[in-house]
């Protein structure tokens, strides 16, 4: 039996991960400027398995779909997409640097760093969005900063504990050869 074309498999998985990103963004828990979401998981998976371009595309497409479904197109739509594009690209660069054979400690490190990057860029996006649309208040923007920081670290630790096993299984399933040494 002929083996699947690896680029077709990669494209299919990236599309599924982008769809999952959109769904996870949509089913998040939101209270004011606090949002608990797992939409970074598929972005990180694509980045850690296939590299920076896949990570950025999954983050961009998935978050764009979520933003369109939830808020429509606004002046600041791209601001809300950027955290996931940046995190996907950066995580993919890191994974590629180590030839996709990252240790569990390396994965924990990069995942925590990417959750913190998302936290920082989301805070900047929230600040700019609030200035553009006239709802800026230091209390609104920075009042939950500590909680959001703790959640970002917690998510990074939780995702860092779970993703190595998931990536290893998915790598075996797709025969892509990456993430095999996790």
């Amino acid at each position: 039996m002929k083996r699947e074309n690896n680029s077709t498999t990669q494209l299919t998985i990236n599309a599924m991960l982008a769809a999952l990103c959109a769904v996870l963004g949509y089913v998040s828990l939101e209270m004011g400027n606090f949002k608990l979401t797992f939409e970074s998981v598929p972005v990180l998976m694509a980045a850690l398995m296939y590299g920076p371009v896949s990570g950025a595309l999954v983050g961009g497409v998935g978050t764009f779909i979520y933003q369109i479904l939830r808020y429509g197109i606004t002046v600041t739509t791209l601001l809300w997409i950027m955290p996931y594009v940046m995190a996907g690209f950066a995580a993919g660069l890191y994974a590629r640097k180590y030839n996709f054979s990252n240790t569990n400690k390396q994965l924990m490190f990069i995942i925590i760093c990417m959750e913190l990057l998302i936290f920082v860029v989301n805070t900047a996006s929230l600040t700019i969005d609030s200035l553009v649309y006239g709802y800026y208040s230091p209390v609104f923007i920075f009042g939950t900063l500590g909680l959001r920081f703790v959640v970002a670290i917690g998510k990074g630790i939780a995702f860092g504990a779970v993703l190595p096993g998931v990536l290893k299984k998915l790598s075996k399933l797709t025969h892509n050869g990456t993430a095999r040494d996790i």
Side-chain angles (χ1 to χ4, degrees), residues 19 23 27 31 35 52-53 59 75-77 88-89 103 108 116 118 126 129 139-140 150 154 165 176 178:
V23 170
V27 296
M31 291 179 278
K35 178 180 174 186
V53 174
V75 174
T76 59
T77 298
F89 191 79
T103 66
M108 180 69 75
L116 289 173
I118 291 168
L126 180 62
D129 189 80
V139 172
F140 181 74
V150 169
N176 73 340
T178 62

Side-chain angles (χ1 to χ4, degrees), residues 80 83 118-128 141-142 145 148:
W80 296 108
I118 291 168
F119 159 72
V120 168
V121 179
N122 267 337
T123 301
S125 298
L126 180 62
T127 303
I128 294 168
I141 302 300
F142 303 108
L145 208 57
R148 291 175 49 236

Side-chain angles (χ1 to χ4, degrees), residues 68-105:
I68 297 304
L69 291 174
R70 188 76 179 245
Y71 305 107
I73 294 182
T74 68
V75 174
T76 59
T77 298
L78 289 179
L79 285 175
W80 296 108
I81 296 169
M82 287 311 299
Y84 298 96
V85 171
M86 292 170 66
F89 191 79
L93 282 177
Y94 186 86
R96 187 169 65 190
K97 177 181 178 182
Y98 294 100
N99 200 27
F100 301 95
S101 294
N102 303 103
T103 66
N104 287 351
K105 286 182 182 181

